[in-house]
Amino acid sequence: NAPSLTPDLSPDSIENVPIWLRTYVADTLRYIEYERRALPVALLCNQMERVEKEKAKANADKKDKRDKSNLEKEPRVPVSQPESGKAKAIEGSKPKSSYFFFLANNRDRIAAKVEEENGPELTGLQFSQAVNKEASREWGSLDDKEKQIWKTKSVDDWKANGGREKAKLEEERLRSAAAADQKAKETV
């Protein structure tokens, strides 16, 4: 019983299938496999696009509602400033707060300290936030007497840089704006 040298040519044998058909089937199966793998990615992309569109529509609806509600309400006018006084206040008409004066005078020293501690890994906004955090920590560690010293320095600096004159100009601006508002109300 020696084995046969001819292959078994049963009807289900791959040898009975023409080469062009085998190639076609192999290509089709490769394409199907590619599509099977690509489908979840395509579905995710479609889902993400749909979610973004829904968010944009919701934001637009909220904005429309806000705009409508703002039209229905009377416009709010700040108590401290008359309607026609919408121009910005004159810069320097009030002294800086003692904390901001402290920060302005110590920013370079604090920035050097933060850079020394963290190296070049902090940049931009992160660096600025770290400097502000450290300055706030230092300010919080000062006692009331030291804070009062900074307040005095701030007021002295304000006076030295023409603060009183700027404050008078600001008062005059507010008075003239209030007078213009009163005149506008009388004509209506």
Side-chain angles (χ1 to χ4, degrees):
N1 288 340
S4 159
L5 294 176
T6 60
D8 183 23
L9 295 177
S10 68
D12 294 336
S13 173
I14 192 77
E15 297 301 321
N16 292 334
V17 178
I19 190 75
W20 66 267
L21 186 56
R22 282 190 240 164
T23 306
Y24 174 76
V25 169
D27 288 345
T28 303
L29 290 173
R30 266 191 235 103
Y31 178 74
I32 290 171
E33 180 64 15
Y34 167 78
E35 287 295 321
R36 185 188 67 79
R37 290 183 182 181
L39 181 64
V41 173
L43 290 175
L44 283 175
C45 290
N46 289 340
Q47 177 66 19
M48 289 169 44
E49 287 175 6
R50 187 169 46 247
V51 167
E52 287 174 5
K53 286 179 184 177
E54 288 172 0
K55 282 182 183 177
K57 185 178 178 184
N59 287 341
D61 290 344
K62 285 181 184 177
K63 185 178 179 189
D64 289 343
K65 286 180 183 177
R66 260 188 276 139
D67 291 344
K68 287 178 184 177
S69 67
N70 286 343
L71 291 176
E72 293 169 2
K73 295 178 186 176
E74 289 185 26
R76 286 192 241 162
V77 178
V79 176
S80 62
Q81 195 173 30
E83 279 185 43
S84 63
K86 290 183 180 179
K88 286 188 174 182
I90 296 174
E91 188 175 331
S93 61
K94 294 180 183 177
K96 287 182 182 178
S97 75
S98 50
Y99 170 73
F100 283 113
F101 189 76
F102 168 81
L103 181 62
N105 285 299
N106 291 300
R107 181 177 288 279
D108 292 337
R109 177 185 58 79
I110 295 170
K113 180 180 176 182
V114 167
E115 190 171 1
E116 182 181 307
E117 290 173 358
N118 296 306
E121 65 189 43
L122 293 179
T123 57
L125 181 62
Q126 292 175 335
F127 181 74
S128 179
Q129 288 173 338
V131 169
N132 290 339
K133 194 176 209 178
E134 181 61 31
S136 137
R137 192 175 299 126
E138 283 188 22
W139 178 257
S141 68
L142 296 177
D143 61 13
D144 289 339
K145 193 180 260 187
E146 291 171 316
K147 289 181 182 179
Q148 185 61 40
I149 292 170
W150 280 104
K151 183 172 185 157
T152 306
K153 286 181 181 180
S154 173
V155 171
D156 291 343
D157 181 67
W158 175 72
K159 288 177 184 175
N161 290 318
R164 290 185 184 207
E165 293 80 20
K166 291 177 184 177
K168 287 178 184 176
L169 290 172
E170 177 65 12
E171 286 178 20
E172 181 58 36
R173 183 186 72 81
L174 290 174
R175 265 193 237 112
S176 65
D181 282 348
Q182 186 64 30
K183 187 175 181 180
K185 287 179 182 176
E186 289 173 2
T187 58
V188 173

